[in-house]
Amino acid sequence: MQQILKRIFDLFLATILFILSTPVLTILIILIKFTSKGPAIFKQNRVGQNKVNFNILKFRTMRTDTPKNMPTHLLKEPAKYITPIGKILRKTSLDELPQLINIIKGEMSFVGPRPALFNQIDLIELRDKYKVNSIKPGVTGWAQVNGRDELDIPTKVEYDKYYYEHQSFLFDLKILIKTALSVIFAKGVIEGNRNLKTENIESQNV
């Protein structure tokens, strides 16, 4: 019953927000297209509920020659790949707006563990251990409001495990409120290389 109510809430809120944000979406698409070459919407293969892969949608904030399937904070010189409008989109998290479509389609929820890249083997295996992969990934999650890019994978999975074990509507509301505050103050965003042995990602040119 809790999952049914969560789905109803996700679908209702995502639909309303998508309709209300249509003018903003249109303006951002125009700005992205006019300030850099390439599509406005960026698709990336991610691991969904029960490890069923799907294409996550984002506004493109990087140049098309950016190494593929690599988190930005692991790039050696991320600044040179970020587009003129991309820095603003990333700082304000407006690049995540297209994920309203992922929510409407039922591939994501507003709250849940952030979907892993298909080649983040360490993260996927650790989540398997704690059944985290059995729940729908989210636009935001308990790990994101407690560190975001600052967390290594074992720590991130501990937060994901805690969320899995304590899921509730009130907990989701708490995470959404903390997310709004994190976005306002740009907490936990790292644009640069970190030496994390836990990231198991293979670079590939577009």
Side-chain angles (χ1 to χ4, degrees):
M1 181 59 69
Q2 178 178 299
Q3 294 305 314
I4 293 173
L5 290 175
K6 182 171 182 174
R7 174 58 186 153
I8 292 172
F9 172 80
D10 282 341
L11 184 58
F12 176 77
L13 184 58
T15 302
I16 295 298
L17 289 177
F18 183 79
I19 294 170
L20 293 177
S21 64
T22 298
V24 176
L25 292 167
T26 304
I27 292 170
L28 291 178
I29 288 172
I30 294 170
L31 287 174
I32 294 167
K33 293 291 289 183
F34 272 87
T35 56
S36 62
K37 293 181 180 179
I41 301 295
F42 172 71
K43 297 180 181 180
Q44 193 174 55
N45 194 348
R46 296 291 183 108
V47 179
Q49 187 175 22
N50 298 319
K51 294 195 290 188
V52 176
N53 286 18
F54 72 101
N55 286 322
I56 194 172
L57 304 177
K58 291 187 175 187
F59 279 129
R60 182 176 56 82
T61 61
M62 312 288 282
R63 289 175 5 202
T64 54
D65 61 343
T66 305
K68 190 179 180 182
N69 298 323
M70 178 178 285
T72 311
H73 61 268
L74 290 181
L75 293 171
K76 291 182 179 179
E77 298 179 76
K80 75 176 185 178
Y81 294 110
I82 299 176
T83 64
I85 192 70
K87 187 174 182 180
I88 298 172
L89 293 176
R90 297 169 76 87
K91 187 172 183 179
T92 58
S93 293
L94 285 172
D95 60 319
E96 312 284 358
L97 270 179
Q99 284 161 49
L100 289 171
I101 297 173
N102 290 121
I103 295 174
I104 292 170
K105 291 171 65 178
E107 297 166 333
M108 295 180 69
S109 175
F110 276 103
V111 180
R114 280 297 291 174
L117 285 163
F118 71 94
N119 54 5
Q120 287 182 292
I121 307 301
D122 290 3
L123 176 57
I124 295 167
E125 289 181 348
L126 268 179
R127 283 178 169 177
D128 266 342
K129 182 179 178 180
Y130 300 113
K131 301 180 180 179
V132 174
N133 288 319
S134 67
I135 58 178
K136 195 172 292 185
V139 175
T140 185
W142 189 229
Q144 280 60 52
V145 298
N146 283 285
R148 199 170 173 178
D149 293 338
E150 296 172 351
L151 303 176
D152 59 20
I153 284 180
T155 305
K156 186 179 295 184
V157 174
E158 282 298 316
Y159 282 114
D160 291 339
K161 175 190 173 187
Y162 183 89
Y163 176 76
Y164 170 78
E165 294 173 345
H166 298 83
Q167 296 176 76
S168 72
F169 182 71
L170 289 179
F171 193 19
D172 282 1
L173 285 180
K174 177 180 178 179
I175 292 171
L176 288 172
I177 292 169
K178 287 177 71 71
T179 297
L181 294 174
S182 294
V183 169
I184 291 170
F185 296 105
K187 289 184 178 180
V189 180
I190 297 177
E191 305 285 24
N193 182 271
R194 290 186 300 154
N195 294 318
L196 294 181
K197 293 188 288 185
T198 49
E199 293 283 3
N200 212 0
I201 299 166
E202 183 176 330
S203 174
Q204 180 181 342
N205 290 327
V206 175

